Structure formats: C-alpha cells, structure tokens
C-alpha cells in the first residue's frame, strides 16, 4: 500500500516528516493490506478522542509529526505483523480494532 501523505497535515512547521514517512511507508509496503486509522493529532483532538495526554500521536519538540500511528491490520496478518514490528524499532500495542505503534519509551528515533 502506498501511503498518500498529503492527507496528513503537519501540526507545526518543523519537519520530522521524512523520518516518520520513511518508517511508516516501509511498514505499509511490507503489509499492503493495512491502513492507517490515526497518525498525528493536535493536543485538543487527542483529548477529544480519549488519547493519553503524553500520547506519541502529538508532535513534540517542534516536530511536524508525532511518533505514533494506529494501523488496522487484517486479522490473518496480525501475528506476523506483531512479530515484525520490533525489527522496525517500534513497540506495538494491540488495541483490538487496531494496532498502536510507537517508539519505545525513552527512545528518540526508530529504525
């Protein structure tokens, strides 16, 4: 699946988008039937949807994008997907109808 990044608007002018786009595009190309259900969120929208105040969906330190995404993975691919996520330097949290991906706590970059 090629990701149409034009639908995701940066929250700030500082640009970490190349790193985020590269990482999440690699995951999406490895699992073409996946789809992103949430990427970057402004703090007020994050609160509206019940997100944690320290959510990695919220951009920090002047970056344009957060360092988390929610992705819908077909059920028959979930176990393989979850097994491969650590190889991308990410932590996966299976939240039932989607998988939340984020940098492990204390990390500043993913591979």
């Amino acid at each position: 699946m090629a990701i149409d990044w034009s639908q995701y608007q940066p929250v700030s002018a500082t640009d970490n988008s190349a790193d985020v786009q590269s990482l999440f595009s690699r995951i999406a190309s490895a699992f073409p039937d996946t789809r992103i259900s949430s990427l970057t969120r402004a703090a007020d929208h994050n609160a509206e949807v019940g997100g944690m105040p320290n959510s990695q969906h919220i951009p920090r330190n002047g970056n344009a994008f957060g360092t988390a995404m929610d992705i819908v993975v077909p059920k028959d691919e979930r176990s393989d997907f979850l097994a491969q996520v650590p190889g991308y330097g990410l932590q996966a949290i299976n939240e039932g109808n989607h998988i939340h991906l984020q940098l492990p706590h204390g990390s500043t970059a993913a591979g």
Side-chain angles (χ1 to χ4, degrees):
M1 162 181 93
I3 298 174
D4 177 8
W5 288 103
S6 65
Q7 66 182 319
Y8 300 105
Q9 297 302 313
V11 175
S12 73
T14 306
D15 194 10
N16 70 333
S17 60
D19 293 337
V20 171
Q21 290 176 7
S22 173
L23 176 62
F24 293 147
S25 291
R26 288 189 347 233
I27 293 168
S29 65
F31 293 89
D33 294 327
T34 61
R35 70 175 177 78
I36 296 172
S37 60
S38 182
L39 189 60
T40 296
R41 299 178 187 157
D44 57 342
H45 177 68
N46 188 64
E48 289 171 8
V49 299
M52 301 295 292
N54 64 345
S55 171
Q56 288 189 39
H57 286 285
I58 302 169
R60 304 258 190 259
N61 303 318
N63 285 313
F65 286 89
T67 55
M69 72 183 292
D70 294 335
I71 188 165
V72 178
V73 180
K75 288 183 182 185
D76 62 336
E77 296 179 11
R78 279 192 182 180
S79 61
D80 190 33
F81 182 88
L82 291 167
Q84 290 190 36
V85 165
Y88 293 99
L90 295 170
Q91 175 184 23
I93 302 166
N94 188 345
E95 296 188 339
N97 63 348
H98 68 275
I99 296 172
H100 173 84
L101 299 178
Q102 68 180 26
L103 291 176
H105 294 290
S107 296
T108 57

